[in-house]
């Protein structure tokens, strides 16, 4: 087993081969982690939250569910999940996000930049937009069709485990939002365990 600690408000990418497993662990509780992945052999194939929603015909995702690529191919399967509360609608935060919602966009750490910078280390060109799996993010759609962001329900030590269905470069970013409810008001680290 190999472990990677992702400091608060940062991201890291790692390679994982088909059939291998990895876990994302909330070290202190109530911390969201953005997950994005790219086919390590074909960089124009990548995780698609929209295709995953389409294939599952649902906004919820948990044990046994598959994360799909933009080519409608299985990328990862969820094999363990302590929380079963995750989010597929919200794009990765970026400087413009903080400017729009909090008027603090200048030089704010963000998952969009963290993911692109981490993928660049593996030779992957930057993405113009990233819609990840927001692990442990707690949102609700009201009867009026508005989206509410609530504090995560994950506790310290809670984890979600994936099995790779392709050779992948996976990137995890510890969400940078301390201004709202997304991380219960405080950014924290996350732990990755790579289980071969």
């Amino acid at each position: 087993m190999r472990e990677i600690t992702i400091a608060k408000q940062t991201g890291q990418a790692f390679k994982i081969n088909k059939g291998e497993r990895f876990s994302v662990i909330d070290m202190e509780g109530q911390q969201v982690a953005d997950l994005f992945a790219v086919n390590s052999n074909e960089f124009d194939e990548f995780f698609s939250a929209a295709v995953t929603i389409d294939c599952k015909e649902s906004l919820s995702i948990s044990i046994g569910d598959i994360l799909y690529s933009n080519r409608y191919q299985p990328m990862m399967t969820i094999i363990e999940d302590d929380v079963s509360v995750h989010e597929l609608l919200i794009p990765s935060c970026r400087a413009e996000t903080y400017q729009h919602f909090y008027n603090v966009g200048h030089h704010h750490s963000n998952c969009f930049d963290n993911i692109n910078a981490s993928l660049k280390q593996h030779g992957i060109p930057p993405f113009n937009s990233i819609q990840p799996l927001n692990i442990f993010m707690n949102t609700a759609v009201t009867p009026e069709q508005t989206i509410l962001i609530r504090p995560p329900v994950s506790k310290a030590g809670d984890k979600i485990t994936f099995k790779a269905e392709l050779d992948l470069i996976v990137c995890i970013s510890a969400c940078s939002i301390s201004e709202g409810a997304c991380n219960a008001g405080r950014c924290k680290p996350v732990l990755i365990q790579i289980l071969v």
Side-chain angles (χ1 to χ4, degrees):
M1 181 175 66
R2 181 163 65 99
E3 292 191 337
I4 302 170
T5 299
I6 300 176
K8 67 177 184 178
Q9 299 180 305
T10 70
Q12 290 193 50
F14 54 91
K15 189 174 189 305
I16 189 160
N17 297 318
K18 180 179 179 178
E20 294 180 339
R21 297 167 294 137
F22 68 95
S23 298
V24 180
I25 301 169
D26 188 344
M27 297 177 72
E28 299 180 26
Q30 296 190 300
Q31 174 62 42
V32 171
D34 285 26
L35 178 151
F36 190 68
V38 178
N39 182 330
S40 61
N41 299 308
E42 299 181 51
F43 295 165
D44 59 349
E45 182 172 24
F46 49 87
F47 169 66
S48 173
V51 171
T52 299
I53 292 169
D54 190 25
C55 288
K56 186 166 185 227
E57 300 180 289
S58 174
L59 295 175
S60 65
I61 191 162
S62 189
I63 294 173
D65 288 332
I66 295 169
L67 304 186
Y68 286 88
S69 77
N70 58 311
R71 297 179 183 170
Y72 281 75
Q73 296 301 310
M75 295 192 88
M76 289 168 272
T77 302
I78 300 172
I79 58 173
E80 291 182 84
D81 187 0
D82 294 333
V83 179
S84 298
V85 178
H86 313 287
E87 207 281 328
L88 288 162
L89 290 176
I90 306 295
S92 287
C93 64
R94 51 197 297 163
E96 295 88 345
T97 306
Y98 294 94
Q99 191 62 32
H100 177 83
F101 288 106
Y102 309 113
N103 199 33
V104 293
H106 303 297
H107 309 297
H108 199 297
S109 60
N110 61 84
C111 289
F112 176 77
D113 288 339
N114 289 345
I115 290 171
N116 271 328
S118 299
L119 293 175
K120 183 178 179 180
Q121 296 176 8
H122 294 266
I124 299 173
F127 286 83
N128 293 322
S129 64
I130 296 171
Q131 190 168 344
L133 169 63
N134 294 298
I135 296 170
F136 306 135
M137 188 170 179
N138 182 13
T139 61
V141 179
T142 71
E144 296 75 30
Q145 301 298 299
T146 59
I147 299 172
L148 299 178
I149 298 177
R150 298 170 172 165
V153 298
S154 54
K155 305 179 299 298
D158 281 344
K159 69 180 179 181
I160 182 171
T161 302
F162 304 86
K163 184 183 78 170
E165 304 295 348
L166 295 172
D167 295 338
L168 300 172
I169 303 295
V170 176
C171 189
I172 305 293
S173 180
C175 179
S176 294
I177 296 175
S178 60
E179 292 81 1
C182 188
N183 299 304
R186 183 172 68 90
C187 296
K188 302 164 283 288
V190 295
L191 179 68
I192 309 303
Q193 291 181 338
I194 300 174
L195 315 159
V196 294

